[in-house]
Amino acid sequence: GSLLRMGATRAHQVMALTLVIRHIPRPVLLPELPKIFPLTLQELQVFSTSDQPEVKLAILEMIDSVIPDVSDLFGEHLPTLVPVLLNLTTYRSSMRVRIGSLRVLRALTILPYFKLHPFKREVITQLAGPLDDKKREVRKEAVQCRNVWFLLGEQVQQ
């Protein structure tokens, strides 16, 4: 009983944190991100099958906004982060979550190629689903994201 309550309390604390994150100034957030990010990643995983679109969206927006500043942190978490993001690209309850996950996947491509290469084929394959989404905005974002991943590691000929 009490262990279950502790888990529920922790889940509520993390949920509250993720909803407050969007209002925290960047200079305050960035140094704390290595501590906060694993919790928010757990939140994306734990609630990946329940209806918590506002929490997911807050986390996705936070990740998207800070990737350029702390790309090393996200590079460490790619084996967990990429599958979670791919799962959210087909999240039925919210078009905004689907778009947010596609934007984060696209933003991750600033990471060094050697870190992304193990995920390239899976990402390109899994993004075929959002290409057929019923919402045009999701399809548009999926096309842009898939194109960026497809071109990873390719030399641009001029």
Side-chain angles (χ1 to χ4, degrees):
S2 101
L3 187 61
L4 181 61
R5 257 184 270 126
M6 277 179 31
T9 301
R10 182 165 183 256
H12 288 117
Q13 290 170 343
V14 173
M15 189 182 312
L17 173 67
T18 59
L19 293 174
V20 171
I21 280 176
R22 70 176 76 188
H23 304 291
I24 298 174
R26 287 176 76 83
V28 175
L29 177 63
L30 290 177
E32 300 302 321
L33 208 53
K35 293 180 226 167
I36 295 172
F37 182 67
L39 295 172
T40 58
L41 185 56
Q42 283 179 347
E43 188 74 8
L44 280 178
Q45 290 175 295
V46 169
F47 289 103
S48 63
T49 57
S50 68
D51 284 329
Q52 295 293 332
E54 63 283 344
V55 174
K56 287 180 180 52
L57 193 58
I59 294 170
L60 293 169
E61 288 172 351
M62 180 271 299
I63 294 171
D64 190 29
S65 71
V66 298
I67 284 176
D69 300 313
V70 287
S71 58
D72 290 345
L73 172 66
F74 297 109
E76 296 171 23
H77 292 280
L78 283 176
T80 307
L81 183 59
V82 170
V84 168
L85 291 171
L86 288 172
N87 187 33
L88 290 175
T89 63
T90 56
Y91 183 72
R92 293 183 179 267
S93 300
S94 172
M95 172 187 80
R96 293 174 62 204
V97 169
R98 295 192 304 269
I99 291 172
S101 62
L102 289 163
R103 286 184 178 154
V104 172
L105 276 168
R106 188 175 55 172
L108 285 174
T109 60
I110 68 162
L111 294 173
Y113 178 72
F114 73 91
K115 290 184 178 186
L116 296 172
H117 178 73
F119 307 100
K120 183 177 177 179
R121 179 177 287 151
E122 180 186 1
V123 170
I124 291 169
T125 304
Q126 293 289 323
L127 288 181
L131 290 175
D132 289 331
D133 197 277
K134 62 185 176 182
K135 296 290 188 175
R136 182 173 55 96
E137 290 177 60
V138 176
R139 293 191 306 265
K140 179 182 171 190
E141 196 66 45
V143 165
Q144 292 172 353
C145 181
R146 193 170 191 237
N147 285 344
V148 170
W149 274 86
F150 186 77
L151 293 174
L152 273 179
E154 299 292 324
Q155 294 292 343
V156 179
Q157 304 277 329
Q158 291 187 356

